[in-house]
Amino acid sequence: MLDIYQFRQHMKTLYEADMSNKTVELWGKNLDSILKQASVELQVPVNGLSYEVLVRGTSGILSLFFKRGWCLLVYPSADYTRRKKGRRRLRADGSEEFEGEQEIVKNGDFGLKLSKDGHIYLRVLPPEGEGAVPVNIDDVNKQASSLRAKLSIKDDELIKIIRNADQKWHAVGDFMHSPQADSQIGVTISEDDMKVQIVLSTPGVGGSTPTAEEMAEAMLHAGVFNGVKQDVLEQLENHPVFRTPILAAEGEPPKNGKNTHLKCLFETGSGLAKAVNSKDVHMDLKSGSNIQNVETGTVIAEVIPPSEGKPGRTVRGDLLPAEDGHEEELPLGSNVILSDDQTRVTAAVDGQVLFIDGLLSVESVMVIPGDVKNHIDFVGTVLIRGNVEDGYNINAKGNIHIDGTVGRSRLTSGGDIYVVGGINGDKGSVDSEDEEHQVFVKCGQSIWAKFIQNCYLEANNFVVVSDGILNSEIIALKKVLCKGRRAAIIGGRIRACEEINAVSLGSVSGTPTRLEVGQNPKLQDEFAELTANFEAKKSELGDLEKSIENWRNVSRTKALPPDKQEKFKEILRSHKELKEELDAMAAVVEEKRVNLENSAYNAKISASSRVCVGVTVSINSAEYTVTNEYSRAITFIEQNGLVNTASYEEITDDISKKDEPLL
């Protein structure tokens, strides 16, 4: 059988708990008695507690007719225990854990006991951490009064003990010990042998208060061998609570093993799961936490095999069996692959990780059921069932399909962009220095829209419009095709490599409209930028040469001082470096010019109904501005360096293939 020392050591080893996050709901006849009980159960001094009143007890004249106790929700004060130098992190299952260093801030505490040797003992614990409050002499005297103990030492000696706070027991008074008046220890074990409560009787005159060892021994004699809360006993020794049951031991319930399950390596975006089924979801994607973009082959989850159960024990030490986990079918949905060794789950497509209907899936299409409410950045295809109003960024690696209209926003797609209702943007704002006010539409393939108005737009293939283009700047590396009853191009600058075709070009009011085909617009822009930079460097070189000539003229009349000579040498070095840079740039400019000339297309510009005055047609290096309206179907081509007219050529490309939504 264990002796009392071995029993205490065993209990300390088993006792592991973090009390800082606990709350207790307690009843009592008054606030003081409840807070004392909570102090024991939470192992926090009374001055380190905060509470909320759940039920207010009766007082005053009402207590003459009926009595009602108080009920409090008690918890450690914020300044008693707090975490520092760390952060909270969400686990895959949605629970929180704390990462980083932890600093516990505790106010000072003390213990006051009446010993069987007839002495009154005081032990003071120092405060811990910055901002913690030390023990107050008034609190010590108040507890001594509640124990009917009279301290015999002087106040200055008592203050010295409190200040030293050496955690040792000091004799601070005497009393006439009467063993028959000692506080008695009652032990009650629950029917399921999982909880033990102890109750201390109020000591009589001359009676002592029990020590933690005596309480532990009483529990041992009652048959309690497991789960003793040693810290509770020590707190109860320091701050005795009488005639109140105190939870002093708890058994360990069995923990069944977990079945086969998935450990997700990405947040599964419960908000996004709603986006698939809900009509009123508001996407908040600026933080980047709602969409978990993954690429094909990315490991998105680990398979955790079944675990063994952990048996429990009652307070009497009896074993409580636990069940082991067992194999279960994994909740795998669409576009995921289980590895051959059954240990990993990988993405079969680019997309977002979601739990839909309880199954882990990777969705290559992101569905927004209504208007866009925030920015979107997605590696797959985005399907928007509403509008994209002003001020939003939509970025998709795949396609973008919009059932409504697009306002002053930025759309970027690696594939096609299909806008059922058309685009009304802000022409030219793509060059705004303020990034938030840049507006554009760019795609890696083709763009289909009902109309395009006041917009900057780029497409690596086709731009296809059914109603027309108004006051826009458009770049298409293949064709711009407008086919429909009102398919006109009015105003702006439209550039394509191969063809521009519409029902009518320009307006009767003579709105300036510039149409360019035959050369790659992006290569043209690169060449223009390179040429402008080259000319600026040439101008800079000319300024340096003038400066050098001036310095040389001065040096012919008188010798330059050392600092001026050094400055002159620096100018000569800059001239040499800039000349070498210009020589290299000249070769690049010539190469770009040759490439641009060699990339000329057999291009054309056509109108099936009318070409108005004010339209400028540019084909390769040839240019022509319409001064007399063409009221017939016509095609412009380039011949021998001039723009000529020819019979109208119909649109031959299949532009109806994207009339259906992407899903």
PDB file of all heavy atoms in Angstrom, residues 474-495:
ATOM      1  N   ILE A 474      -8.870  48.956 -77.799  1.00  0.00           N
ATOM      2  CA  ILE A 474      -8.892  47.495 -77.833  1.00  0.00           C
ATOM      3  C   ILE A 474      -7.678  46.984 -78.588  1.00  0.00           C
ATOM      4  O   ILE A 474      -7.314  47.504 -79.649  1.00  0.00           O
ATOM      5  CB  ILE A 474     -10.197  46.989 -78.484  1.00  0.00           C
ATOM      6  CG1 ILE A 474     -11.377  47.334 -77.578  1.00  0.00           C
ATOM      7  CG2 ILE A 474     -10.136  45.492 -78.750  1.00  0.00           C
ATOM      8  CD1 ILE A 474     -12.717  46.902 -78.110  1.00  0.00           C
ATOM      9  N   ILE A 475      -7.072  45.947 -78.021  1.00  0.00           N
ATOM     10  CA  ILE A 475      -5.960  45.249 -78.664  1.00  0.00           C
ATOM     11  C   ILE A 475      -6.345  43.783 -78.792  1.00  0.00           C
ATOM     12  O   ILE A 475      -6.672  43.134 -77.792  1.00  0.00           O
ATOM     13  CB  ILE A 475      -4.670  45.386 -77.848  1.00  0.00           C
ATOM     14  CG1 ILE A 475      -4.177  46.834 -77.847  1.00  0.00           C
ATOM     15  CG2 ILE A 475      -3.587  44.457 -78.378  1.00  0.00           C
ATOM     16  CD1 ILE A 475      -2.958  47.069 -76.970  1.00  0.00           C
ATOM     17  N   ALA A 476      -6.319  43.255 -80.035  1.00  0.00           N
ATOM     18  CA  ALA A 476      -6.568  41.834 -80.268  1.00  0.00           C
ATOM     19  C   ALA A 476      -5.445  41.295 -81.142  1.00  0.00           C
ATOM     20  O   ALA A 476      -5.142  41.871 -82.189  1.00  0.00           O
ATOM     21  CB  ALA A 476      -7.917  41.623 -80.947  1.00  0.00           C
ATOM     22  N   LEU A 477      -4.821  40.222 -80.700  1.00  0.00           N
ATOM     23  CA  LEU A 477      -3.704  39.673 -81.467  1.00  0.00           C
ATOM     24  C   LEU A 477      -4.175  38.834 -82.653  1.00  0.00           C
ATOM     25  O   LEU A 477      -3.351  38.311 -83.397  1.00  0.00           O
ATOM     26  CB  LEU A 477      -2.797  38.862 -80.552  1.00  0.00           C
ATOM     27  CG  LEU A 477      -2.138  39.649 -79.411  1.00  0.00           C
ATOM     28  CD1 LEU A 477      -1.083  38.806 -78.719  1.00  0.00           C
ATOM     29  CD2 LEU A 477      -1.544  40.952 -79.906  1.00  0.00           C
ATOM     30  N   LYS A 478      -5.499  38.727 -82.831  1.00  0.00           N
ATOM     31  CA  LYS A 478      -6.044  38.121 -84.051  1.00  0.00           C
ATOM     32  C   LYS A 478      -7.082  39.059 -84.664  1.00  0.00           C
ATOM     33  O   LYS A 478      -6.749  39.856 -85.525  1.00  0.00           O
ATOM     34  CB  LYS A 478      -6.621  36.741 -83.767  1.00  0.00           C
ATOM     35  CG  LYS A 478      -5.539  35.679 -83.541  1.00  0.00           C
ATOM     36  CD  LYS A 478      -6.106  34.272 -83.527  1.00  0.00           C
ATOM     37  CE  LYS A 478      -4.969  33.248 -83.393  1.00  0.00           C
ATOM     38  NZ  LYS A 478      -5.496  31.862 -83.361  1.00  0.00           N
ATOM     39  N   LYS A 479      -8.336  39.016 -84.199  1.00  0.00           N
ATOM     40  CA  LYS A 479      -9.382  39.772 -84.881  1.00  0.00           C
ATOM     41  C   LYS A 479     -10.325  40.454 -83.891  1.00  0.00           C
ATOM     42  O   LYS A 479     -10.531  39.959 -82.779  1.00  0.00           O
ATOM     43  CB  LYS A 479     -10.195  38.840 -85.785  1.00  0.00           C
ATOM     44  CG  LYS A 479      -9.378  38.132 -86.859  1.00  0.00           C
ATOM     45  CD  LYS A 479     -10.247  37.233 -87.717  1.00  0.00           C
ATOM     46  CE  LYS A 479      -9.407  36.516 -88.783  1.00  0.00           C
ATOM     47  NZ  LYS A 479     -10.242  35.691 -89.676  1.00  0.00           N
ATOM     48  N   VAL A 480     -10.925  41.570 -84.352  1.00  0.00           N
ATOM     49  CA  VAL A 480     -12.028  42.230 -83.658  1.00  0.00           C
ATOM     50  C   VAL A 480     -13.235  42.127 -84.581  1.00  0.00           C
ATOM     51  O   VAL A 480     -13.241  42.705 -85.679  1.00  0.00           O
ATOM     52  CB  VAL A 480     -11.712  43.699 -83.339  1.00  0.00           C
ATOM     53  CG1 VAL A 480     -12.926  44.375 -82.700  1.00  0.00           C
ATOM     54  CG2 VAL A 480     -10.501  43.804 -82.420  1.00  0.00           C
ATOM     55  N   LEU A 481     -14.259  41.392 -84.135  1.00  0.00           N
ATOM     56  CA  LEU A 481     -15.409  41.095 -84.983  1.00  0.00           C
ATOM     57  C   LEU A 481     -16.688  41.554 -84.298  1.00  0.00           C
ATOM     58  O   LEU A 481     -16.992  41.125 -83.180  1.00  0.00           O
ATOM     59  CB  LEU A 481     -15.485  39.591 -85.271  1.00  0.00           C
ATOM     60  CG  LEU A 481     -14.219  38.960 -85.883  1.00  0.00           C
ATOM     61  CD1 LEU A 481     -14.387  37.458 -86.024  1.00  0.00           C
ATOM     62  CD2 LEU A 481     -13.892  39.601 -87.234  1.00  0.00           C
ATOM     63  N   CYS A 482     -17.446  42.429 -84.977  1.00  0.00           N
ATOM     64  CA  CYS A 482     -18.712  42.933 -84.451  1.00  0.00           C
ATOM     65  C   CYS A 482     -19.818  42.546 -85.423  1.00  0.00           C
ATOM     66  O   CYS A 482     -19.879  43.080 -86.540  1.00  0.00           O
ATOM     67  CB  CYS A 482     -18.671  44.452 -84.298  1.00  0.00           C
ATOM     68  SG  CYS A 482     -17.395  45.034 -83.171  1.00  0.00           S
ATOM     69  N   LYS A 483     -20.657  41.629 -85.011  1.00  0.00           N
ATOM     70  CA  LYS A 483     -21.712  41.156 -85.913  1.00  0.00           C
ATOM     71  C   LYS A 483     -23.042  41.142 -85.168  1.00  0.00           C
ATOM     72  O   LYS A 483     -23.221  40.426 -84.196  1.00  0.00           O
ATOM     73  CB  LYS A 483     -21.384  39.758 -86.425  1.00  0.00           C
ATOM     74  CG  LYS A 483     -22.355  39.283 -87.504  1.00  0.00           C
ATOM     75  CD  LYS A 483     -21.899  37.991 -88.133  1.00  0.00           C
ATOM     76  CE  LYS A 483     -22.837  37.571 -89.253  1.00  0.00           C
ATOM     77  NZ  LYS A 483     -22.409  36.331 -89.911  1.00  0.00           N
ATOM     78  N   GLY A 484     -23.934  41.960 -85.658  1.00  0.00           N
ATOM     79  CA  GLY A 484     -25.252  42.090 -85.053  1.00  0.00           C
ATOM     80  C   GLY A 484     -25.968  43.245 -85.730  1.00  0.00           C
ATOM     81  O   GLY A 484     -25.382  44.013 -86.500  1.00  0.00           O
ATOM     82  N   ARG A 485     -27.254  43.414 -85.448  1.00  0.00           N
ATOM     83  CA  ARG A 485     -28.035  44.436 -86.128  1.00  0.00           C
ATOM     84  C   ARG A 485     -27.472  45.840 -85.906  1.00  0.00           C
ATOM     85  O   ARG A 485     -27.498  46.677 -86.791  1.00  0.00           O
ATOM     86  CB  ARG A 485     -29.484  44.359 -85.634  1.00  0.00           C
ATOM     87  CG  ARG A 485     -30.504  44.780 -86.659  1.00  0.00           C
ATOM     88  CD  ARG A 485     -31.878  44.194 -86.343  1.00  0.00           C
ATOM     89  NE  ARG A 485     -32.173  44.248 -84.926  1.00  0.00           N
ATOM     90  CZ  ARG A 485     -32.798  45.274 -84.342  1.00  0.00           C
ATOM     91  NH1 ARG A 485     -33.140  46.328 -85.058  1.00  0.00           N
ATOM     92  NH2 ARG A 485     -33.062  45.239 -83.062  1.00  0.00           N
ATOM     93  N   ARG A 486     -26.926  46.100 -84.692  1.00  0.00           N
ATOM     94  CA  ARG A 486     -26.387  47.430 -84.366  1.00  0.00           C
ATOM     95  C   ARG A 486     -24.887  47.377 -84.102  1.00  0.00           C
ATOM     96  O   ARG A 486     -24.363  48.157 -83.319  1.00  0.00           O
ATOM     97  CB  ARG A 486     -27.099  47.972 -83.134  1.00  0.00           C
ATOM     98  CG  ARG A 486     -28.590  48.164 -83.327  1.00  0.00           C
ATOM     99  CD  ARG A 486     -29.248  48.630 -82.042  1.00  0.00           C
ATOM    100  NE  ARG A 486     -29.107  47.636 -80.982  1.00  0.00           N
ATOM    101  CZ  ARG A 486     -29.449  47.852 -79.709  1.00  0.00           C
ATOM    102  NH1 ARG A 486     -29.912  49.040 -79.349  1.00  0.00           N
ATOM    103  NH2 ARG A 486     -29.316  46.902 -78.813  1.00  0.00           N
ATOM    104  N   ALA A 487     -24.201  46.442 -84.724  1.00  0.00           N
ATOM    105  CA  ALA A 487     -22.791  46.197 -84.415  1.00  0.00           C
ATOM    106  C   ALA A 487     -21.903  47.262 -85.040  1.00  0.00           C
ATOM    107  O   ALA A 487     -21.350  47.077 -86.118  1.00  0.00           O
ATOM    108  CB  ALA A 487     -22.384  44.808 -84.887  1.00  0.00           C
ATOM    109  N   ALA A 488     -21.769  48.394 -84.375  1.00  0.00           N
ATOM    110  CA  ALA A 488     -20.962  49.508 -84.879  1.00  0.00           C
ATOM    111  C   ALA A 488     -19.718  49.690 -84.016  1.00  0.00           C
ATOM    112  O   ALA A 488     -19.697  49.333 -82.840  1.00  0.00           O
ATOM    113  CB  ALA A 488     -21.791  50.789 -84.877  1.00  0.00           C
ATOM    114  N   ILE A 489     -18.694  50.256 -84.638  1.00  0.00           N
ATOM    115  CA  ILE A 489     -17.504  50.695 -83.908  1.00  0.00           C
ATOM    116  C   ILE A 489     -17.453  52.214 -84.029  1.00  0.00           C
ATOM    117  O   ILE A 489     -17.312  52.756 -85.134  1.00  0.00           O
ATOM    118  CB  ILE A 489     -16.220  50.066 -84.471  1.00  0.00           C
ATOM    119  CG1 ILE A 489     -16.248  48.543 -84.310  1.00  0.00           C
ATOM    120  CG2 ILE A 489     -14.991  50.656 -83.771  1.00  0.00           C
ATOM    121  CD1 ILE A 489     -15.044  47.837 -84.906  1.00  0.00           C
ATOM    122  N   ILE A 490     -17.582  52.899 -82.899  1.00  0.00           N
ATOM    123  CA  ILE A 490     -17.641  54.360 -82.892  1.00  0.00           C
ATOM    124  C   ILE A 490     -16.624  54.892 -81.877  1.00  0.00           C
ATOM    125  O   ILE A 490     -16.694  54.565 -80.683  1.00  0.00           O
ATOM    126  CB  ILE A 490     -19.044  54.864 -82.517  1.00  0.00           C
ATOM    127  CG1 ILE A 490     -20.084  54.322 -83.498  1.00  0.00           C
ATOM    128  CG2 ILE A 490     -19.080  56.390 -82.482  1.00  0.00           C
ATOM    129  CD1 ILE A 490     -21.515  54.640 -83.101  1.00  0.00           C
ATOM    130  N   GLY A 491     -15.687  55.695 -82.338  1.00  0.00           N
ATOM    131  CA  GLY A 491     -14.721  56.330 -81.461  1.00  0.00           C
ATOM    132  C   GLY A 491     -13.662  55.370 -80.956  1.00  0.00           C
ATOM    133  O   GLY A 491     -13.737  54.147 -81.114  1.00  0.00           O
ATOM    134  N   GLY A 492     -12.597  55.936 -80.379  1.00  0.00           N
ATOM    135  CA  GLY A 492     -11.563  55.133 -79.776  1.00  0.00           C
ATOM    136  C   GLY A 492     -10.521  54.647 -80.762  1.00  0.00           C
ATOM    137  O   GLY A 492     -10.432  55.114 -81.919  1.00  0.00           O
ATOM    138  N   ARG A 493      -9.736  53.687 -80.307  1.00  0.00           N
ATOM    139  CA  ARG A 493      -8.657  53.114 -81.117  1.00  0.00           C
ATOM    140  C   ARG A 493      -8.746  51.595 -81.040  1.00  0.00           C
ATOM    141  O   ARG A 493      -8.624  51.010 -79.955  1.00  0.00           O
ATOM    142  CB  ARG A 493      -7.306  53.587 -80.593  1.00  0.00           C
ATOM    143  CG  ARG A 493      -6.111  53.128 -81.425  1.00  0.00           C
ATOM    144  CD  ARG A 493      -4.813  53.536 -80.749  1.00  0.00           C
ATOM    145  NE  ARG A 493      -3.648  53.231 -81.575  1.00  0.00           N
ATOM    146  CZ  ARG A 493      -2.388  53.290 -81.135  1.00  0.00           C
ATOM    147  NH1 ARG A 493      -2.132  53.677 -79.886  1.00  0.00           N
ATOM    148  NH2 ARG A 493      -1.383  52.984 -81.937  1.00  0.00           N
ATOM    149  N   ILE A 494      -8.964  50.968 -82.179  1.00  0.00           N
ATOM    150  CA  ILE A 494      -9.121  49.514 -82.248  1.00  0.00           C
ATOM    151  C   ILE A 494      -7.950  48.961 -83.047  1.00  0.00           C
ATOM    152  O   ILE A 494      -7.725  49.373 -84.206  1.00  0.00           O
ATOM    153  CB  ILE A 494     -10.450  49.114 -82.921  1.00  0.00           C
ATOM    154  CG1 ILE A 494     -11.615  49.933 -82.349  1.00  0.00           C
ATOM    155  CG2 ILE A 494     -10.688  47.627 -82.772  1.00  0.00           C
ATOM    156  CD1 ILE A 494     -11.835  49.748 -80.876  1.00  0.00           C
ATOM    157  N   ARG A 495      -7.217  48.015 -82.460  1.00  0.00           N
ATOM    158  CA  ARG A 495      -6.043  47.440 -83.133  1.00  0.00           C
ATOM    159  C   ARG A 495      -6.133  45.920 -83.127  1.00  0.00           C
ATOM    160  O   ARG A 495      -6.464  45.307 -82.104  1.00  0.00           O
ATOM    161  CB  ARG A 495      -4.762  47.883 -82.440  1.00  0.00           C
ATOM    162  CG  ARG A 495      -4.518  49.383 -82.552  1.00  0.00           C
ATOM    163  CD  ARG A 495      -3.123  49.747 -82.073  1.00  0.00           C
ATOM    164  NE  ARG A 495      -3.015  49.665 -80.615  1.00  0.00           N
ATOM    165  CZ  ARG A 495      -1.855  49.756 -79.959  1.00  0.00           C
ATOM    166  NH1 ARG A 495      -0.718  49.886 -80.642  1.00  0.00           N
ATOM    167  NH2 ARG A 495      -1.835  49.705 -78.652  1.00  0.00           N
TER     168      ARG A 495
END
